[in-house]
């Protein structure tokens, strides 16, 4: 049932993982590592000092709890064990999670487990919650790190709080330069958006954060047919969501903070609105006419690439365009989104116009992140 881990002895990767595992055990400085969703900034979840350092390094609010990463179901069950329990006692994960774990672990799914009365975990991990978020990541490096260290690894995304989550080791290095000592480089993240956070302890069960596993996939599991998606407040300038969203307060504390934003302005176009014309691109450049201003355009499914004539028209008016396609499938768009937002900042774009997608399948998580990043949302009636 548990993934097996063979100690890699000769490869560079194996040595790097063993070094990182050793740092997790003995150093108070967190280590960055790849997962299939985004890069994480990890620490031994049972020690206060390194966990506290995660919050300092990221500039993260103390009331925003961390996800604990495990490499096996055995490690997950240990999190349910009170310090006072005898070593022979066993603890079971609440049965509601069984179909989800069978289907999606290891993978981009975080489940909330009840905290035992005397938890081994540093209280900074769960902050003000009575639960702990747990996930078994699918990235082989992340799994190997959890198993090699034999530690539960508390890890938020390895970005500076508020910026888009990192999907390459380079993104981590840019954000956390001189604040971390070790980044395991596992290449680009395959999923590209964070895990789905689910609460099976409440009734009905709820999705607290949409992510790499879709609402449709969760709803198809036994006991999860009536799953609701928790409404969020705050964060971006647009609230709300789709799909049977409940009216209750946000319960994943992280969801109330503004997130995922590049420094440039973001204009998000909902489906069924028109592609911005060159006149619109020019009007939102609000620069002086004597200085060149860079505008971004991120296309998905319908928008057309600007033609030479349009680019020329803009250039004559001191507007340069940085264009990119995020792809057309939900998977591609998820994978490329955060990197593309970061690229806009790197290229000095002042405002990026982004073509939104329908909120089904991967679209729910993509649009959740984009709405948080957006300074303006263009709906049909606005155009
Ligand atoms: O894919 C991911 O989940 C990545 C990788 C590194 O695993 N991690 C990640 O962590 O996105 P972070 O800290 O950026 O987001 C964790 C989210 C936050 O919205 C937080 O509020 C919520 O999960 N969360 C964590 N523990 C919780 C708990 N006990 N109750 C409610 N929400 C919780
Ligand atoms: Mg994060």
């Amino acid at each position: 049932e548990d993934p097996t881990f063979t100690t890699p002895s000769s490869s560079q990767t194996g040595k790097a993982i063993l070094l990182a595992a050793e740092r997790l055990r003995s150093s108070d400085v967190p280590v960055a590592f790849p997962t299939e969703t985004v890069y994480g900034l990890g620490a031994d979840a049972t020690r206060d000092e390194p966990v506290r350092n995660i919050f300092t390094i990221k500039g993260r609010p103390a009331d925003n709890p961390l996800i604990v990463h495990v490499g096996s179901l055995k490690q997950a069950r240990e999190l349910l064990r009170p310090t006072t329990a005898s070593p022979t006692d066993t603890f079971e994960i609440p049965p509601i999670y069984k179909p989800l774990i069978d289907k999606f672990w290891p993978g981009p799914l975080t489940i909330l487990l009840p905290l035992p009365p005397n938890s081994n975990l540093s209280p900074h991990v769960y902050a003000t919650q009575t639960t702990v978020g747990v996930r078994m990541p699918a990235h082989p490096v992340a799994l190997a790190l959890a198993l090699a260290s034999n530690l539960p690894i508390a890890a938020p995304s390895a970005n500076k709080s508020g910026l888009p989550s990192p999907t390459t080791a380079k993104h981590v290095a840019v954000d956390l330069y001189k604040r971390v000592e070790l980044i395991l480089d596992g290449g680009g993240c395959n999923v590209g958006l964070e895990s789905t956070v689910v609460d099976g302890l409440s009734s009905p069960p709820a999705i607290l954060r949409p992510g790499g596993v879709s609402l449709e996939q969760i709803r198809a599991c036994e006991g999860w047919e009536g799953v609701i998606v928790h409404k969020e407040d705050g964060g971006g300038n647009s609230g709300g969501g789709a799909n049977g969203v409940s009216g209750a307060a946000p319960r994943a504390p992280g969801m109330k903070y503004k997130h995922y934003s590049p420094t440039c302005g973001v204009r998000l176009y909902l489906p069924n609105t028109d592609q911005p014309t060159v006149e619109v691109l020019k009007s939102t450049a609000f620069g002086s006419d004597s200085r060149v201003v860079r505008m971004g355009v991120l296309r998905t499914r319908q928008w057309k690439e600007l033609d030479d004539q349009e680019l020329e028209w803009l250039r004559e008016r001191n507007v340069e365009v940085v264009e990119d396609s995020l792809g057309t499938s939900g998977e591609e768009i998820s994978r490329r989104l955060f990197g593309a937002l970061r690229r806009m900042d790197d290229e000095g774009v002042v405002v990026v116009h982004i073509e939104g997608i329908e909120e089904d399948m991967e679209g729910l998580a993509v649009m959740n992140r984009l709405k948080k990043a957006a300074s303006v949302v263009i709906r049909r009636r606005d155009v």
Side-chain angles (χ1 to χ4, degrees):
E1 56 168 349
D2 288 342
T4 48
F5 173 64
T6 35
T7 307
S9 52
S10 57
S11 73
Q12 290 285 87
T13 307
K15 282 180 191 158
I17 291 168
L18 292 176
L19 175 63
E22 179 48 34
R23 293 287 177 90
L24 285 176
R25 272 193 297 265
S26 58
S27 168
D28 287 344
V29 182
V31 302
F33 63 98
T35 83
E36 78 282 19
T37 58
V38 301
Y39 275 73
L41 181 64
D44 174 355
T46 67
R47 291 199 294 131
D48 283 336
E49 196 51 33
V51 174
R52 236 196 327 253
N53 283 336
I54 289 177
F55 287 83
T56 313
I57 289 173
K58 275 183 63 94
R60 182 181 178 100
D63 70 347
N64 192 3
L66 306 179
I67 292 172
V68 175
H69 297 71
V70 296
S72 68
L73 286 175
K74 184 164 174 285
Q75 279 187 327
R77 284 189 212 104
E78 285 302 303
L79 299 172
L80 298 160
R81 172 187 296 278
T83 38
T84 49
S86 96
T88 54
D89 290 342
T90 55
F91 297 87
E92 287 309 315
I93 294 171
I96 173 103
Y97 291 122
K98 180 158 187 352
L100 296 190
I101 288 173
D102 287 349
K103 253 205 138 77
F104 305 119
W105 270 13
L109 178 81
T110 296
I111 63 173
L112 296 196
L113 294 180
L115 270 172
N118 273 301
S119 174
N120 277 320
L121 294 175
S122 161
H124 302 292
V125 170
Y126 47 85
T128 57
Q129 306 296 306
T130 56
T131 56
V132 55
V134 182
R135 152 168 136 80
M136 191 192 295
H139 197 291
V141 171
L143 275 179
L145 188 61
L147 293 170
S149 63
N150 195 28
L151 291 172
I153 303 174
S157 49
N159 52 306
K160 237 198 231 133
S161 226
L163 291 182
S165 292
T167 52
T168 66
K170 175 98 186 290
H171 295 160
V172 180
V174 167
D175 278 19
L176 304 183
Y177 181 66
K178 287 190 174 166
R179 296 198 180 94
V180 290
E181 295 172 347
L182 196 153
I183 302 170
L184 290 175
D185 187 347
C189 299
N190 225 347
V191 176
L193 293 182
E194 302 87 343
S195 62
T196 304
V197 179
V198 296
D199 179 1
L201 306 174
S202 63
S203 182
I207 293 179
L208 304 188
R209 176 179 72 179
V213 176
S214 71
L215 167 64
E216 290 85 347
Q217 287 176 298
I218 288 171
R219 199 184 264 151
C221 293
E222 202 189 328
W224 291 80
E225 298 84 358
V227 65
I228 57 166
V229 180
H230 259 272
K231 188 177 173 155
E232 302 150 23
D233 66 1
N237 296 331
S238 61
N243 298 301
V245 168
S246 83
R251 285 187 309 156
M255 300 304 279
K256 70 175 186 257
Y257 297 106
K258 189 164 168 78
H259 254 110
Y260 316 111
S261 307
T263 307
C264 65
V266 174
R267 297 176 76 91
L268 173 63
Y269 292 70
L270 298 190
N272 298 315
T273 54
D274 295 327
Q275 176 167 3
T277 59
V278 285
E279 285 84 4
V280 169
L281 293 180
K282 162 71 183 115
S283 73
T284 52
F286 48 40
S288 70
D289 284 331
S290 56
R291 183 171 66 87
V292 173
V293 172
R294 289 196 145 188
M295 301 296 292
V297 176
L298 290 175
R299 294 173 275 120
T300 56
R301 291 170 176 163
Q302 309 279 334
W303 288 5
K304 301 202 167 38
E305 207 171 333
L306 295 178
D307 63 30
D308 290 346
Q309 217 183 326
E310 291 170 313
L311 292 173
E312 186 52 33
W313 188 93
L314 286 165
R315 215 172 293 122
E316 280 164 5
R317 287 157 184 81
N318 278 327
V319 177
E320 276 179 15
V321 177
V322 179
E323 259 193 301
D324 208 349
S325 166
L326 294 173
T328 51
S329 75
E331 281 170 30
E332 280 176 301
I333 296 167
S334 303
R335 192 178 306 129
R336 293 186 197 163
L337 180 63
F338 286 150
L341 291 178
R342 281 174 178 264
R343 181 185 162 208
M344 292 296 141
D345 280 345
D346 293 346
E347 305 237 11
V349 163
V350 292
V351 178
V352 57
H353 297 250
I354 305 181
E355 180 188 0
I357 60 174
E358 299 292 343
E359 298 187 22
D360 59 348
M361 306 301 290
E362 294 89 354
L364 184 63
V366 167
M367 291 301 281
N368 170 275
R369 307 304 189 269
L370 280 176
K371 285 177 176 178
K372 284 166 179 291
S375 27
V376 178
V377 178
I378 291 97
R379 302 182 161 77
R380 197 164 193 52
R381 65 172 180 277
D382 296 332
V383 294

